[in-house]
Structure formats: C-alpha cells, structure tokens
Amino acid sequence: MCLKMWYKGWPRGVPLLLANSFLMSIGFYALIPNLSVYLTHSLGWTPLLAGVLLMVRQFSQQDR
C-alpha cells in the first residue's frame, strides 16, 4: 500500500502531528535509559537511588 494513499483523505496537518507525536515518544523513551546511565556513571549515584528517582518521576506523571 502506498503511503500517499494511506492518508489521502486526511487534512494536511494530521500526518505532521502524527510524525511529531512519534518523534516525541521516541525521544522520551530514549531519554530514560540514558538518564539512568548518566546518574549512575557520571554522578556516581547508586543504581537503587537512580531507580527510585525514575520511579518517583513515573508515578508523579500518572493521570488520575
């Protein structure tokens, strides 16, 4: 299936918004492992402390 035919009926901004959302998700999920490596290797934190920090960040961002 051709990509152009896939979104033919959509307004022009929809593919741009989908691409933006995809790239933001990739960037976010690439940040978390790199942040844990940075915290443990560069700053000298223990893996437990880095894990607690990332856990608190995850739980504080949950929607209720």
Side-chain angles (χ1 to χ4, degrees):
M1 178 195 275
C2 180
L3 185 61
K4 198 172 227 177
M5 297 297 289
W6 181 62
Y7 66 86
K8 188 176 182 183
W10 292 353
R12 291 183 79 170
V14 172
L16 182 64
L17 290 173
L18 288 174
N20 183 36
S21 178
F22 176 73
L23 291 174
M24 291 288 287
S25 294
I26 293 295
F28 173 74
Y29 289 115
L31 170 74
I32 297 302
N34 289 322
L35 180 60
S36 63
V37 169
Y38 173 74
L39 291 173
T40 54
H41 291 150
S42 296
L43 296 182
W45 289 18
T46 63
L48 177 66
L49 185 59
V52 168
L53 175 78
L54 294 174
M55 178 189 67
V56 167
R57 192 216 64 71
Q58 180 67 33
F59 285 132
S60 68
Q61 194 177 12
Q62 295 292 323
D63 292 334
R64 293 176 196 226

